[in-house]
Amino acid sequence: MSFFGFGQSADIDIVLNDAETRKKAEHKSEDGRKDKYFLFYDGETVSGKVNVTLKYPGKRLEHNGIKIEFVGQIELYYDRGNHHEFVSLVKDLARPGELTQSQTFDFEFTHVEKPYESYTGQNVKLRYFLRATVSRRLNDISKELDIVVHTLSTYPELNSSIKMEVGIEDCLHIEFEYNKSKYHLKDVIVGKIYFLLVRIKIRHMEIDIIKRETTGTGPNVYHENDTIAKYEIMDGAPVRGESIPIRLFLAGYEMTPTMRDINKKFSVRYYLNLVLIDEEERRYFKQQEITLWRKGDIVRKSMSHQAAIASQRFEGSSHPEKATSGVFLT
Amino acid sequence: MSDPVVADTRRLNSKPQDLSDAYGPPSNFLEIDVYDPQIIGVGRGRYTTYEVRMRTNLPIFKLKDSCVRRRYSDFEWLKNELERDSKIVVPPLPGKALKRQLPFRGDEGLFEESFIEERRSGLEQFINRIAGHPLAQNERCLHMFLQEESIDRNYIPGKV
C-alpha cells in the first residue's frame, strides 16, 4: 500500500552505551538557558547506537548511505557560515541501499582526541557533537547529539605569588599581593593590600574579576569584557601601614578555565581588577591576569585509563610578572 | 599529588602597623572653605567675592594654610585652564545665571541672598573636588588660584 504524496521518512535517535553511568554537566546555551549534557574528557571513547525508526511501517526507505560523525567545531558568531572543524571523525553505518524496517546500528569512536573545552561565549562557540545522517537524493535526515567536554589539569608545579608595588607618584602607593598566579575554579584567592602612602581620600576598595573573550586575528581582533564579580574588600579611609586582607571564593562564580589562542581562533582570559574609589568617585585601578584551570574530581575506578592520563596533563603556563611600578588610570 | 580537602584561606602575613601611623593625623588632609561673600563696587559694575581658605598637610602645596579672595569669573578661569591643559574631566561649576543680570527683575538678581548662598555652596563643592585630584595638583593654575593673592592672567601655564 503506498500513500499518495507521502514519501517514507524516519526518525533518528542517538543513544550512548554508557548513558546510565556517565555524568552530565551543565552548560549554558547561546540564549542563556542552562542544559545538561553528557560529559566527556580527552581520550575517552564515544560509543553507542543509532536507532533509525521508519515513520510508516511496511514502506521502504531508500537511502544513499547512513553514517555517524563525531565533530568538534568552532563557530564565530560574526561568521556563522564558516564552521572551523578541528575534530572530524566519521563511521559508515550502512552502504547505499534501502531499509525495509526500523534498524539499530552500533558505533564506536575509540579514544577520541578532544583537545579543547566546550565553550559558549558572547561571540564564539566551541562545541562537540555526534551527528547521524541518512543521506537521500533530495533531502538528508539527520540528528545531532551535543556533548560537553571539560579539560582537566593538576596542580601546577610552578605557581608563584603575584606581588607588586604600584601607585601614583607622591599620591598613592600600595603593595598588592595575591597568593598564587594560577587558581582552579573552586579555589580561594588569598591576598592583601598594603598601604605605603595615602594622600588621597579613599572611600572604598573592591576587587573585580573580569573575563575577556578575544576573537579574530590581526587587525580584526575584538575583545569582549565582562565583569563576572565585584567584591568589596574595604569600606572607609585607610592610612599608611594598614593591611587589608583579601579572601575571594571562586566557586560561587560562573567561570571557565583560561583558554589561550584556541585553534588560533579565540581566547578567554581572566583578570583581577583592584579598584580604589575616592570621595569624588574617581577610580584608581590595577589589572592583573590570573590563570584559571579545572581540577578533576577524585579519579574514580570507572574512569577509563586514557581519561586518567588526560587529567594529568597541564595546559599552558603563564610568564611570572616582572615587578614594576604599576600604571594607574583615573 | 595529594589534594587538600579544604583550601588554605589563612591571611597572608603582614607587617604590624606603626601606632603613630594608625592614630596620627592622616596624610590626606585637605579642606577648602568658600565663605564670607562680599559685594564689591557700586551700581551696575558690582560683583561678589568669596573668601577661599585652604588648610592641608599635602606636601605639594607650598602653604599649609592659605586665604585668598576670588570671584566667580576666577573660578571660570581655573576651569578653562584645567580643561585646556590637562586630561582631567573637570567638575561643573554652578550656573552662570545670565538671566539674573537682566534688569527689571522683581528681586536683587545676582545679589539675592539665596542665590549667593547657592553659588557659594556650588563653588565650594567645585574647588574641593578639583583640588583633591592628583593630576590637577600638578597644574600651576590651581596653585596660583588657591595660594597667590591675585591671579596673573598672563602667567605661563605649566606643571608644578
Side-chain angles (χ1 to χ4, degrees), chain A residues 49-316:
Chain A
K49 299 185 195 311
V50 178
N51 300 321
V52 182
T53 312
L54 299 180
K55 271 217 171 97
Y56 310 108
K59 203 169 185 295
R60 297 171 214 278
L61 177 74
E62 285 180 17
H63 65 84
N64 281 341
I66 305 178
K67 68 178 180 201
I68 182 157
E69 298 167 276
F70 181 85
V71 179
Q73 73 181 29
I74 296 172
E75 187 184 308
L76 293 155
Y77 297 172
Y78 62 77
D79 187 20
R80 297 261 189 189
N82 278 328
H83 293 163
H84 304 276
E85 290 183 1
F86 56 88
V87 175
S88 182
L89 305 169
V90 67
K91 294 253 186 264
D92 285 317
L93 301 175
R95 282 201 310 237
E98 59 184 30
L99 290 179
T100 49
Q101 57 184 18
S102 300
Q103 204 170 331
T104 294
F105 303 90
D106 289 295
F107 70 89
E108 179 175 299
F109 294 101
T110 322
H111 299 320
V112 184
E113 214 186 288
K114 304 174 205 75
Y116 311 119
E117 174 147 327
S118 295
Y119 175 72
T120 301
Q122 300 280 76
N123 300 291
V124 62
K125 182 157 67 168
L126 188 153
R127 62 187 267 248
Y128 295 85
F129 58 95
L130 286 160
R131 178 170 55 211
T133 309
V134 175
S135 301
R136 297 199 297 178
R137 196 164 43 89
L138 287 176
N139 56 331
D140 295 343
I141 310 168
S142 76
K143 184 78 191 286
E144 284 182 4
L145 175 69
D146 270 65
I147 61 158
V148 154
V149 172
H150 283 173
T151 52
L152 300 178
S153 309
T154 51
Y155 283 95
E157 270 170 40
L158 197 63
N159 197 352
S160 50
S161 64
I162 303 171
K163 191 167 179 172
M164 246 186 254
E165 193 185 306
V166 295
I168 300 175
E169 198 66 32
D170 294 331
C171 272
L172 175 69
H173 289 184
I174 62 167
E175 186 190 74
F176 71 87
E177 187 180 341
Y178 305 128
N179 63 332
K180 304 183 205 176
S181 34
K182 299 167 191 159
Y183 292 93
H184 63 79
L185 296 178
K186 300 221 181 340
D187 215 331
V188 187
I189 298 176
V190 174
K192 72 177 206 287
I193 311 295
Y194 180 74
F195 287 90
L196 294 153
L197 179 70
V198 189
R199 293 211 179 116
I200 54 172
K201 295 179 188 172
I202 297 172
R203 215 188 53 216
H204 82 138
M205 180 164 64
E206 68 184 41
I207 194 159
D208 301 343
I209 302 178
I210 297 179
K211 171 182 159 191
R212 178 175 300 165
E213 180 192 281
T214 303
T215 47
T217 50
N220 298 321
V221 169
Y222 180 70
H223 300 292
E224 179 99 34
N225 290 330
D226 188 22
T227 303
I228 304 254
K230 266 177 191 266
Y231 189 70
E232 184 179 85
I233 55 174
M234 178 188 81
D235 185 18
V239 291
R240 178 172 61 195
E242 233 163 324
S243 256
I244 303 298
I246 297 169
R247 187 186 293 148
L248 181 54
F249 290 86
L250 296 179
Y253 303 105
E254 263 178 44
M255 298 187 296
T256 68
T258 294
M259 302 182 197
R260 287 198 176 85
D261 206 25
I262 300 301
N263 205 233
K264 299 205 202 316
K265 295 274 176 294
F266 71 95
S267 294
V268 181
R269 301 166 89 131
Y270 291 87
Y271 301 83
L272 288 181
N273 200 25
L274 180 71
V275 187
L276 291 98
I277 299 151
D278 73 13
E279 301 219 326
E280 303 296 346
E281 302 292 331
R282 288 180 285 255
R283 298 162 72 87
Y284 308 80
F285 62 90
K286 173 66 184 153
Q287 226 176 68
Q288 189 63 40
E289 184 175 5
I290 53 167
T291 301
L292 295 182
W293 55 279
R294 187 183 290 280
K295 185 159 69 101
D297 292 332
I298 298 164
V299 177
R300 286 175 233 266
K301 285 203 195 119
S302 62
M303 217 165 141
S304 77
H305 182 60
Q306 289 301 105
I309 293 170
S311 73
Q312 313 280 322
R313 235 178 280 155
F314 175 71
E315 176 162 72

Side-chain angles (χ1 to χ4, degrees), chain B residues 2-64:
Chain B
S2 66
D3 245 7
V5 177
V6 176
D8 185 357
T9 59
R10 288 172 301 176
R11 288 190 184 185
L12 299 180
N13 289 330
S14 52
K15 283 180 273 227
Q17 188 180 25
D18 195 87
L19 285 182
S20 62
D21 283 336
Y23 293 103
S27 324
N28 59 8
F29 179 63
L30 172 66
E31 265 172 37
I32 305 175
D33 296 310
V34 176
Y35 60 102
D36 188 29
Q38 299 287 342
I39 300 171
I40 311 290
V42 288
R44 244 178 315 124
R46 286 181 300 163
Y47 61 93
T48 310
T49 64
Y50 306 84
E51 186 100 343
V52 178
R53 181 177 179 195
M54 179 167 93
R55 279 167 297 183
T56 184
N57 65 1
L58 297 179
I60 197 155
F61 291 105
K62 270 211 218 97
L63 300 173
K64 301 298 173 249

